[in-house]
Amino acid sequence: MEFVISTRYSIMKHFLPTGDELIIRPPEHNDAAGLLASFQRLTRETDYLLFTRSESMELDIASEEDYIQSYTDNPNQLLLVAIVRDQIIGSINVNHTGLHKKAHTAEIGIAVEKQWNNMGIGRRLITAMLRWTESRAALRLIYLHVFSTNEKAMQLYRNFGFMECGRLPNGIMQKNGNYVDLVTMYLDLKR
C-alpha cells in the first residue's frame, strides 16, 4: 500500500485479488462523467440505493460537476472514489449538515459496483474514510442508513464497530413494490 500525502487526503493504492490496482482518491473535476456513469450503472444493478434507475438518468455531467465541487469546497465533507482499470467503480462520502447542534455528526454513504464485490473494496473505502475522520476533532458520530435486506452490507458495517440504533418499519419501497425496514447504524469515533 502506498500513501501520497496531499493537503486534505491520502491517495491509497492497493492490489485486488484479480491483480488489478485499486486507487482510492478524491475526485477531480474531470471525473464527473465517470462518477455519473458509475452511479447510473449502480442503479441498474442494485435496488439498495435510494435513487431509482430513472432518477439517476435525469442527472447530467453539470450536476455531477456541482456535486464534486460541493465536496471540494467543504473541508468538513469527504468524497472519495474507487478506481480500477482507469474506471470509477465505487465511492464513499461523508456529509455534514453544517448545523452547529449537529457539528459532531455526519452521514456516510458507500457503493461499489457489483462486478467488484467481494474484493475488499468496501472495506478499503471505509478504512480510508475513517482515517480522514481522525483529523476531524469535532466529529464524534458517523451514521448511515441501510436496507434491512442488505445483510452483507450490515455485516461489513458491524465489522467496523457500527451498531444498529433504530429502524423505520417499511421505510423503503423497493422497485418490486415490497416494503423493507430502513436501518440506522452509527459509529462513535471517540469511544
Side-chain angles (χ1 to χ4, degrees), residues 104-138:
H104 65 293
T105 70
E107 183 175 3
I108 71 166
I110 182 173
V112 175
E113 292 182 32
K114 191 174 188 176
Q115 174 187 351
W116 301 101
N117 286 349
N118 303 313
M119 293 191 200
I121 297 171
R123 180 176 47 82
R124 289 179 172 131
L125 282 167
I126 292 173
T127 299
M129 177 272 301
L130 289 173
R131 287 189 179 146
W132 176 84
T133 66
E134 292 170 0
S135 66
R136 303 298 182 272

PDB file of all heavy atoms in Angstrom, residues 104-138:
ATOM      1  N   HIS A 104     -21.056  17.624  15.468  1.00  0.00           N
ATOM      2  CA  HIS A 104     -20.309  16.428  15.880  1.00  0.00           C
ATOM      3  C   HIS A 104     -20.765  15.172  15.147  1.00  0.00           C
ATOM      4  O   HIS A 104     -20.280  14.082  15.409  1.00  0.00           O
ATOM      5  CB  HIS A 104     -20.459  16.224  17.390  1.00  0.00           C
ATOM      6  CG  HIS A 104     -21.856  15.932  17.821  1.00  0.00           C
ATOM      7  ND1 HIS A 104     -22.882  16.850  17.727  1.00  0.00           N
ATOM      8  CD2 HIS A 104     -22.413  14.802  18.319  1.00  0.00           C
ATOM      9  CE1 HIS A 104     -24.007  16.297  18.160  1.00  0.00           C
ATOM     10  NE2 HIS A 104     -23.743  15.047  18.528  1.00  0.00           N
ATOM     11  N   THR A 105     -21.686  15.300  14.175  1.00  0.00           N
ATOM     12  CA  THR A 105     -22.221  14.148  13.456  1.00  0.00           C
ATOM     13  C   THR A 105     -22.083  14.318  11.950  1.00  0.00           C
ATOM     14  O   THR A 105     -22.029  15.445  11.441  1.00  0.00           O
ATOM     15  CB  THR A 105     -23.719  13.919  13.771  1.00  0.00           C
ATOM     16  OG1 THR A 105     -24.487  14.976  13.186  1.00  0.00           O
ATOM     17  CG2 THR A 105     -23.972  13.859  15.273  1.00  0.00           C
ATOM     18  N   ALA A 106     -22.054  13.211  11.247  1.00  0.00           N
ATOM     19  CA  ALA A 106     -22.034  13.237   9.785  1.00  0.00           C
ATOM     20  C   ALA A 106     -22.617  11.920   9.268  1.00  0.00           C
ATOM     21  O   ALA A 106     -22.488  10.875   9.914  1.00  0.00           O
ATOM     22  CB  ALA A 106     -20.626  13.428   9.250  1.00  0.00           C
ATOM     23  N   GLU A 107     -23.251  11.989   8.128  1.00  0.00           N
ATOM     24  CA  GLU A 107     -23.841  10.803   7.493  1.00  0.00           C
ATOM     25  C   GLU A 107     -22.919  10.308   6.393  1.00  0.00           C
ATOM     26  O   GLU A 107     -22.348  11.096   5.650  1.00  0.00           O
ATOM     27  CB  GLU A 107     -25.212  11.140   6.910  1.00  0.00           C
ATOM     28  CG  GLU A 107     -25.909   9.947   6.295  1.00  0.00           C
ATOM     29  CD  GLU A 107     -27.318  10.253   5.814  1.00  0.00           C
ATOM     30  OE1 GLU A 107     -27.750  11.416   5.896  1.00  0.00           O
ATOM     31  OE2 GLU A 107     -27.968   9.313   5.338  1.00  0.00           O
ATOM     32  N   ILE A 108     -22.779   8.996   6.297  1.00  0.00           N
ATOM     33  CA  ILE A 108     -21.946   8.430   5.236  1.00  0.00           C
ATOM     34  C   ILE A 108     -22.793   7.632   4.257  1.00  0.00           C
ATOM     35  O   ILE A 108     -23.890   7.171   4.581  1.00  0.00           O
ATOM     36  CB  ILE A 108     -20.789   7.564   5.795  1.00  0.00           C
ATOM     37  CG1 ILE A 108     -21.310   6.259   6.391  1.00  0.00           C
ATOM     38  CG2 ILE A 108     -19.977   8.312   6.812  1.00  0.00           C
ATOM     39  CD1 ILE A 108     -20.207   5.233   6.638  1.00  0.00           C
ATOM     40  N   GLY A 109     -22.263   7.482   3.062  1.00  0.00           N
ATOM     41  CA  GLY A 109     -22.858   6.643   2.033  1.00  0.00           C
ATOM     42  C   GLY A 109     -21.739   5.953   1.276  1.00  0.00           C
ATOM     43  O   GLY A 109     -20.659   6.522   1.101  1.00  0.00           O
ATOM     44  N   ILE A 110     -21.988   4.742   0.858  1.00  0.00           N
ATOM     45  CA  ILE A 110     -20.953   3.970   0.159  1.00  0.00           C
ATOM     46  C   ILE A 110     -21.619   3.072  -0.878  1.00  0.00           C
ATOM     47  O   ILE A 110     -22.722   2.561  -0.651  1.00  0.00           O
ATOM     48  CB  ILE A 110     -20.123   3.119   1.159  1.00  0.00           C
ATOM     49  CG1 ILE A 110     -19.001   2.344   0.456  1.00  0.00           C
ATOM     50  CG2 ILE A 110     -21.008   2.224   1.984  1.00  0.00           C
ATOM     51  CD1 ILE A 110     -18.043   1.634   1.400  1.00  0.00           C
ATOM     52  N   ALA A 111     -20.945   2.881  -1.996  1.00  0.00           N
ATOM     53  CA  ALA A 111     -21.445   1.971  -3.030  1.00  0.00           C
ATOM     54  C   ALA A 111     -20.268   1.473  -3.865  1.00  0.00           C
ATOM     55  O   ALA A 111     -19.342   2.222  -4.156  1.00  0.00           O
ATOM     56  CB  ALA A 111     -22.455   2.682  -3.931  1.00  0.00           C
ATOM     57  N   VAL A 112     -20.330   0.198  -4.220  1.00  0.00           N
ATOM     58  CA  VAL A 112     -19.327  -0.435  -5.081  1.00  0.00           C
ATOM     59  C   VAL A 112     -20.078  -1.247  -6.132  1.00  0.00           C
ATOM     60  O   VAL A 112     -21.014  -1.982  -5.799  1.00  0.00           O
ATOM     61  CB  VAL A 112     -18.376  -1.350  -4.270  1.00  0.00           C
ATOM     62  CG1 VAL A 112     -17.419  -2.091  -5.195  1.00  0.00           C
ATOM     63  CG2 VAL A 112     -17.617  -0.550  -3.223  1.00  0.00           C
ATOM     64  N   GLU A 113     -19.671  -1.116  -7.377  1.00  0.00           N
ATOM     65  CA  GLU A 113     -20.341  -1.842  -8.453  1.00  0.00           C
ATOM     66  C   GLU A 113     -20.241  -3.353  -8.257  1.00  0.00           C
ATOM     67  O   GLU A 113     -19.240  -3.868  -7.754  1.00  0.00           O
ATOM     68  CB  GLU A 113     -19.748  -1.442  -9.807  1.00  0.00           C
ATOM     69  CG  GLU A 113     -20.064  -0.011 -10.178  1.00  0.00           C
ATOM     70  CD  GLU A 113     -19.516   0.375 -11.532  1.00  0.00           C
ATOM     71  OE1 GLU A 113     -19.432  -0.492 -12.434  1.00  0.00           O
ATOM     72  OE2 GLU A 113     -19.165   1.558 -11.688  1.00  0.00           O
ATOM     73  N   LYS A 114     -21.282  -4.040  -8.671  1.00  0.00           N
ATOM     74  CA  LYS A 114     -21.435  -5.480  -8.443  1.00  0.00           C
ATOM     75  C   LYS A 114     -20.247  -6.301  -8.943  1.00  0.00           C
ATOM     76  O   LYS A 114     -19.805  -7.235  -8.280  1.00  0.00           O
ATOM     77  CB  LYS A 114     -22.726  -5.944  -9.129  1.00  0.00           C
ATOM     78  CG  LYS A 114     -23.160  -7.332  -8.777  1.00  0.00           C
ATOM     79  CD  LYS A 114     -24.522  -7.624  -9.397  1.00  0.00           C
ATOM     80  CE  LYS A 114     -25.063  -8.929  -8.894  1.00  0.00           C
ATOM     81  NZ  LYS A 114     -26.424  -9.164  -9.414  1.00  0.00           N
ATOM     82  N   GLN A 115     -19.717  -5.963 -10.094  1.00  0.00           N
ATOM     83  CA  GLN A 115     -18.591  -6.716 -10.669  1.00  0.00           C
ATOM     84  C   GLN A 115     -17.396  -6.746  -9.717  1.00  0.00           C
ATOM     85  O   GLN A 115     -16.582  -7.657  -9.757  1.00  0.00           O
ATOM     86  CB  GLN A 115     -18.179  -6.079 -12.001  1.00  0.00           C
ATOM     87  CG  GLN A 115     -16.927  -6.682 -12.605  1.00  0.00           C
ATOM     88  CD  GLN A 115     -16.459  -5.920 -13.836  1.00  0.00           C
ATOM     89  OE1 GLN A 115     -17.141  -5.047 -14.350  1.00  0.00           O
ATOM     90  NE2 GLN A 115     -15.284  -6.266 -14.325  1.00  0.00           N
ATOM     91  N   TRP A 116     -17.297  -5.752  -8.842  1.00  0.00           N
ATOM     92  CA  TRP A 116     -16.141  -5.603  -7.965  1.00  0.00           C
ATOM     93  C   TRP A 116     -16.456  -5.953  -6.513  1.00  0.00           C
ATOM     94  O   TRP A 116     -15.647  -5.691  -5.622  1.00  0.00           O
ATOM     95  CB  TRP A 116     -15.591  -4.176  -8.089  1.00  0.00           C
ATOM     96  CG  TRP A 116     -15.199  -3.900  -9.498  1.00  0.00           C
ATOM     97  CD1 TRP A 116     -15.907  -3.191 -10.431  1.00  0.00           C
ATOM     98  CD2 TRP A 116     -14.028  -4.376 -10.163  1.00  0.00           C
ATOM     99  NE1 TRP A 116     -15.241  -3.194 -11.636  1.00  0.00           N
ATOM    100  CE2 TRP A 116     -14.075  -3.909 -11.495  1.00  0.00           C
ATOM    101  CE3 TRP A 116     -12.937  -5.150  -9.759  1.00  0.00           C
ATOM    102  CZ2 TRP A 116     -13.082  -4.185 -12.424  1.00  0.00           C
ATOM    103  CZ3 TRP A 116     -11.949  -5.412 -10.680  1.00  0.00           C
ATOM    104  CH2 TRP A 116     -12.022  -4.942 -11.994  1.00  0.00           C
ATOM    105  N   ASN A 117     -17.613  -6.567  -6.280  1.00  0.00           N
ATOM    106  CA  ASN A 117     -17.951  -7.010  -4.925  1.00  0.00           C
ATOM    107  C   ASN A 117     -17.039  -8.153  -4.485  1.00  0.00           C
ATOM    108  O   ASN A 117     -16.452  -8.848  -5.320  1.00  0.00           O
ATOM    109  CB  ASN A 117     -19.408  -7.483  -4.860  1.00  0.00           C
ATOM    110  CG  ASN A 117     -20.387  -6.326  -4.892  1.00  0.00           C
ATOM    111  OD1 ASN A 117     -20.017  -5.168  -4.759  1.00  0.00           O
ATOM    112  ND2 ASN A 117     -21.651  -6.639  -5.058  1.00  0.00           N
ATOM    113  N   ASN A 118     -16.936  -8.332  -3.179  1.00  0.00           N
ATOM    114  CA  ASN A 118     -16.172  -9.433  -2.562  1.00  0.00           C
ATOM    115  C   ASN A 118     -14.671  -9.355  -2.839  1.00  0.00           C
ATOM    116  O   ASN A 118     -13.998 -10.378  -2.866  1.00  0.00           O
ATOM    117  CB  ASN A 118     -16.720 -10.794  -3.014  1.00  0.00           C
ATOM    118  CG  ASN A 118     -18.182 -10.945  -2.686  1.00  0.00           C
ATOM    119  OD1 ASN A 118     -18.604 -10.645  -1.581  1.00  0.00           O
ATOM    120  ND2 ASN A 118     -18.967 -11.382  -3.655  1.00  0.00           N
ATOM    121  N   MET A 119     -14.164  -8.141  -3.031  1.00  0.00           N
ATOM    122  CA  MET A 119     -12.723  -7.967  -3.244  1.00  0.00           C
ATOM    123  C   MET A 119     -12.102  -7.038  -2.211  1.00  0.00           C
ATOM    124  O   MET A 119     -10.960  -6.630  -2.356  1.00  0.00           O
ATOM    125  CB  MET A 119     -12.462  -7.451  -4.657  1.00  0.00           C
ATOM    126  CG  MET A 119     -12.805  -8.459  -5.716  1.00  0.00           C
ATOM    127  SD  MET A 119     -12.205  -7.933  -7.313  1.00  0.00           S
ATOM    128  CE  MET A 119     -13.229  -8.925  -8.384  1.00  0.00           C
ATOM    129  N   GLY A 120     -12.872  -6.670  -1.191  1.00  0.00           N
ATOM    130  CA  GLY A 120     -12.349  -5.819  -0.134  1.00  0.00           C
ATOM    131  C   GLY A 120     -12.384  -4.333  -0.444  1.00  0.00           C
ATOM    132  O   GLY A 120     -11.826  -3.536   0.305  1.00  0.00           O
ATOM    133  N   ILE A 121     -13.054  -3.938  -1.517  1.00  0.00           N
ATOM    134  CA  ILE A 121     -13.079  -2.526  -1.890  1.00  0.00           C
ATOM    135  C   ILE A 121     -13.895  -1.710  -0.895  1.00  0.00           C
ATOM    136  O   ILE A 121     -13.474  -0.629  -0.475  1.00  0.00           O
ATOM    137  CB  ILE A 121     -13.588  -2.351  -3.337  1.00  0.00           C
ATOM    138  CG1 ILE A 121     -12.611  -3.032  -4.300  1.00  0.00           C
ATOM    139  CG2 ILE A 121     -13.773  -0.866  -3.679  1.00  0.00           C
ATOM    140  CD1 ILE A 121     -13.086  -3.128  -5.729  1.00  0.00           C
ATOM    141  N   GLY A 122     -15.051  -2.220  -0.483  1.00  0.00           N
ATOM    142  CA  GLY A 122     -15.859  -1.520   0.514  1.00  0.00           C
ATOM    143  C   GLY A 122     -15.095  -1.335   1.811  1.00  0.00           C
ATOM    144  O   GLY A 122     -15.115  -0.256   2.412  1.00  0.00           O
ATOM    145  N   ARG A 123     -14.412  -2.373   2.235  1.00  0.00           N
ATOM    146  CA  ARG A 123     -13.607  -2.306   3.465  1.00  0.00           C
ATOM    147  C   ARG A 123     -12.518  -1.247   3.330  1.00  0.00           C
ATOM    148  O   ARG A 123     -12.266  -0.469   4.239  1.00  0.00           O
ATOM    149  CB  ARG A 123     -13.012  -3.688   3.756  1.00  0.00           C
ATOM    150  CG  ARG A 123     -12.164  -3.753   5.012  1.00  0.00           C
ATOM    151  CD  ARG A 123     -11.682  -5.170   5.300  1.00  0.00           C
ATOM    152  NE  ARG A 123     -11.133  -5.881   4.158  1.00  0.00           N
ATOM    153  CZ  ARG A 123      -9.872  -5.739   3.721  1.00  0.00           C
ATOM    154  NH1 ARG A 123      -9.054  -4.921   4.315  1.00  0.00           N
ATOM    155  NH2 ARG A 123      -9.449  -6.432   2.679  1.00  0.00           N
ATOM    156  N   ARG A 124     -11.893  -1.192   2.181  1.00  0.00           N
ATOM    157  CA  ARG A 124     -10.820  -0.207   1.973  1.00  0.00           C
ATOM    158  C   ARG A 124     -11.370   1.216   1.888  1.00  0.00           C
ATOM    159  O   ARG A 124     -10.727   2.160   2.357  1.00  0.00           O
ATOM    160  CB  ARG A 124     -10.023  -0.577   0.736  1.00  0.00           C
ATOM    161  CG  ARG A 124      -9.176  -1.829   0.997  1.00  0.00           C
ATOM    162  CD  ARG A 124      -8.385  -2.239  -0.203  1.00  0.00           C
ATOM    163  NE  ARG A 124      -7.472  -3.309   0.145  1.00  0.00           N
ATOM    164  CZ  ARG A 124      -7.348  -4.426  -0.552  1.00  0.00           C
ATOM    165  NH1 ARG A 124      -8.085  -4.626  -1.630  1.00  0.00           N
ATOM    166  NH2 ARG A 124      -6.489  -5.359  -0.177  1.00  0.00           N
ATOM    167  N   LEU A 125     -12.546   1.374   1.295  1.00  0.00           N
ATOM    168  CA  LEU A 125     -13.169   2.699   1.261  1.00  0.00           C
ATOM    169  C   LEU A 125     -13.508   3.169   2.679  1.00  0.00           C
ATOM    170  O   LEU A 125     -13.260   4.321   3.041  1.00  0.00           O
ATOM    171  CB  LEU A 125     -14.426   2.684   0.389  1.00  0.00           C
ATOM    172  CG  LEU A 125     -14.205   2.725  -1.113  1.00  0.00           C
ATOM    173  CD1 LEU A 125     -15.492   2.376  -1.861  1.00  0.00           C
ATOM    174  CD2 LEU A 125     -13.681   4.076  -1.561  1.00  0.00           C
ATOM    175  N   ILE A 126     -14.073   2.276   3.487  1.00  0.00           N
ATOM    176  CA  ILE A 126     -14.406   2.647   4.867  1.00  0.00           C
ATOM    177  C   ILE A 126     -13.140   2.961   5.651  1.00  0.00           C
ATOM    178  O   ILE A 126     -13.088   3.934   6.415  1.00  0.00           O
ATOM    179  CB  ILE A 126     -15.233   1.540   5.549  1.00  0.00           C
ATOM    180  CG1 ILE A 126     -16.615   1.454   4.900  1.00  0.00           C
ATOM    181  CG2 ILE A 126     -15.368   1.817   7.053  1.00  0.00           C
ATOM    182  CD1 ILE A 126     -17.470   0.293   5.371  1.00  0.00           C
ATOM    183  N   THR A 127     -12.087   2.179   5.460  1.00  0.00           N
ATOM    184  CA  THR A 127     -10.820   2.443   6.154  1.00  0.00           C
ATOM    185  C   THR A 127     -10.281   3.824   5.776  1.00  0.00           C
ATOM    186  O   THR A 127      -9.837   4.584   6.650  1.00  0.00           O
ATOM    187  CB  THR A 127      -9.790   1.352   5.819  1.00  0.00           C
ATOM    188  OG1 THR A 127     -10.302   0.087   6.277  1.00  0.00           O
ATOM    189  CG2 THR A 127      -8.453   1.626   6.473  1.00  0.00           C
ATOM    190  N   ALA A 128     -10.315   4.164   4.494  1.00  0.00           N
ATOM    191  CA  ALA A 128      -9.846   5.482   4.051  1.00  0.00           C
ATOM    192  C   ALA A 128     -10.692   6.588   4.671  1.00  0.00           C
ATOM    193  O   ALA A 128     -10.162   7.616   5.118  1.00  0.00           O
ATOM    194  CB  ALA A 128      -9.877   5.562   2.521  1.00  0.00           C
ATOM    195  N   MET A 129     -12.006   6.387   4.713  1.00  0.00           N
ATOM    196  CA  MET A 129     -12.900   7.379   5.303  1.00  0.00           C
ATOM    197  C   MET A 129     -12.601   7.541   6.791  1.00  0.00           C
ATOM    198  O   MET A 129     -12.537   8.660   7.312  1.00  0.00           O
ATOM    199  CB  MET A 129     -14.353   6.953   5.071  1.00  0.00           C
ATOM    200  CG  MET A 129     -15.398   7.856   5.686  1.00  0.00           C
ATOM    201  SD  MET A 129     -15.860   7.458   7.393  1.00  0.00           S
ATOM    202  CE  MET A 129     -16.456   5.794   7.248  1.00  0.00           C
ATOM    203  N   LEU A 130     -12.396   6.431   7.502  1.00  0.00           N
ATOM    204  CA  LEU A 130     -12.115   6.512   8.935  1.00  0.00           C
ATOM    205  C   LEU A 130     -10.788   7.221   9.209  1.00  0.00           C
ATOM    206  O   LEU A 130     -10.661   7.953  10.197  1.00  0.00           O
ATOM    207  CB  LEU A 130     -12.137   5.126   9.568  1.00  0.00           C
ATOM    208  CG  LEU A 130     -13.522   4.486   9.674  1.00  0.00           C
ATOM    209  CD1 LEU A 130     -13.418   3.046  10.160  1.00  0.00           C
ATOM    210  CD2 LEU A 130     -14.439   5.306  10.581  1.00  0.00           C
ATOM    211  N   ARG A 131      -9.819   7.034   8.351  1.00  0.00           N
ATOM    212  CA  ARG A 131      -8.552   7.761   8.506  1.00  0.00           C
ATOM    213  C   ARG A 131      -8.781   9.258   8.368  1.00  0.00           C
ATOM    214  O   ARG A 131      -8.175  10.061   9.071  1.00  0.00           O
ATOM    215  CB  ARG A 131      -7.519   7.272   7.496  1.00  0.00           C
ATOM    216  CG  ARG A 131      -7.006   5.905   7.871  1.00  0.00           C
ATOM    217  CD  ARG A 131      -5.841   5.488   7.030  1.00  0.00           C
ATOM    218  NE  ARG A 131      -5.391   4.172   7.472  1.00  0.00           N
ATOM    219  CZ  ARG A 131      -4.899   3.260   6.693  1.00  0.00           C
ATOM    220  NH1 ARG A 131      -4.745   3.498   5.403  1.00  0.00           N
ATOM    221  NH2 ARG A 131      -4.523   2.096   7.178  1.00  0.00           N
ATOM    222  N   TRP A 132      -9.630   9.646   7.452  1.00  0.00           N
ATOM    223  CA  TRP A 132      -9.966  11.063   7.290  1.00  0.00           C
ATOM    224  C   TRP A 132     -10.645  11.599   8.545  1.00  0.00           C
ATOM    225  O   TRP A 132     -10.350  12.718   8.978  1.00  0.00           O
ATOM    226  CB  TRP A 132     -10.853  11.239   6.060  1.00  0.00           C
ATOM    227  CG  TRP A 132     -11.346  12.634   5.851  1.00  0.00           C
ATOM    228  CD1 TRP A 132     -10.677  13.651   5.234  1.00  0.00           C
ATOM    229  CD2 TRP A 132     -12.611  13.167   6.247  1.00  0.00           C
ATOM    230  NE1 TRP A 132     -11.458  14.788   5.219  1.00  0.00           N
ATOM    231  CE2 TRP A 132     -12.651  14.513   5.838  1.00  0.00           C
ATOM    232  CE3 TRP A 132     -13.721  12.628   6.900  1.00  0.00           C
ATOM    233  CZ2 TRP A 132     -13.758  15.330   6.066  1.00  0.00           C
ATOM    234  CZ3 TRP A 132     -14.809  13.435   7.134  1.00  0.00           C
ATOM    235  CH2 TRP A 132     -14.823  14.773   6.719  1.00  0.00           C
ATOM    236  N   THR A 133     -11.544  10.814   9.165  1.00  0.00           N
ATOM    237  CA  THR A 133     -12.248  11.299  10.358  1.00  0.00           C
ATOM    238  C   THR A 133     -11.289  11.555  11.515  1.00  0.00           C
ATOM    239  O   THR A 133     -11.588  12.369  12.386  1.00  0.00           O
ATOM    240  CB  THR A 133     -13.352  10.317  10.831  1.00  0.00           C
ATOM    241  OG1 THR A 133     -12.764   9.094  11.289  1.00  0.00           O
ATOM    242  CG2 THR A 133     -14.379  10.064   9.748  1.00  0.00           C
ATOM    243  N   GLU A 134     -10.146  10.878  11.527  1.00  0.00           N
ATOM    244  CA  GLU A 134      -9.176  11.061  12.613  1.00  0.00           C
ATOM    245  C   GLU A 134      -8.666  12.500  12.686  1.00  0.00           C
ATOM    246  O   GLU A 134      -8.273  12.955  13.757  1.00  0.00           O
ATOM    247  CB  GLU A 134      -7.998  10.098  12.449  1.00  0.00           C
ATOM    248  CG  GLU A 134      -8.375   8.657  12.658  1.00  0.00           C
ATOM    249  CD  GLU A 134      -7.274   7.682  12.257  1.00  0.00           C
ATOM    250  OE1 GLU A 134      -6.187   8.123  11.795  1.00  0.00           O
ATOM    251  OE2 GLU A 134      -7.502   6.462  12.394  1.00  0.00           O
ATOM    252  N   SER A 135      -8.696  13.211  11.577  1.00  0.00           N
ATOM    253  CA  SER A 135      -8.217  14.599  11.564  1.00  0.00           C
ATOM    254  C   SER A 135      -9.353  15.593  11.823  1.00  0.00           C
ATOM    255  O   SER A 135      -9.146  16.799  11.722  1.00  0.00           O
ATOM    256  CB  SER A 135      -7.544  14.908  10.231  1.00  0.00           C
ATOM    257  OG  SER A 135      -8.503  14.858   9.184  1.00  0.00           O
ATOM    258  N   ARG A 136     -10.519  15.103  12.152  1.00  0.00           N
ATOM    259  CA  ARG A 136     -11.679  15.957  12.420  1.00  0.00           C
ATOM    260  C   ARG A 136     -12.025  15.841  13.903  1.00  0.00           C
ATOM    261  O   ARG A 136     -12.856  15.032  14.288  1.00  0.00           O
ATOM    262  CB  ARG A 136     -12.878  15.552  11.560  1.00  0.00           C
ATOM    263  CG  ARG A 136     -12.631  15.575  10.054  1.00  0.00           C
ATOM    264  CD  ARG A 136     -12.297  16.978   9.628  1.00  0.00           C
ATOM    265  NE  ARG A 136     -12.070  17.195   8.239  1.00  0.00           N
ATOM    266  CZ  ARG A 136     -10.903  17.064   7.612  1.00  0.00           C
ATOM    267  NH1 ARG A 136      -9.874  16.587   8.233  1.00  0.00           N
ATOM    268  NH2 ARG A 136     -10.763  17.391   6.355  1.00  0.00           N
ATOM    269  N   ALA A 137     -11.383  16.659  14.737  1.00  0.00           N
ATOM    270  CA  ALA A 137     -11.540  16.564  16.194  1.00  0.00           C
ATOM    271  C   ALA A 137     -12.986  16.745  16.639  1.00  0.00           C
ATOM    272  O   ALA A 137     -13.421  16.118  17.606  1.00  0.00           O
ATOM    273  CB  ALA A 137     -10.641  17.587  16.883  1.00  0.00           C
ATOM    274  N   ALA A 138     -13.738  17.583  15.956  1.00  0.00           N
ATOM    275  CA  ALA A 138     -15.117  17.858  16.363  1.00  0.00           C
ATOM    276  C   ALA A 138     -16.079  16.730  15.983  1.00  0.00           C
ATOM    277  O   ALA A 138     -17.171  16.636  16.533  1.00  0.00           O
ATOM    278  CB  ALA A 138     -15.594  19.164  15.748  1.00  0.00           C
TER     279      ALA A 138
END
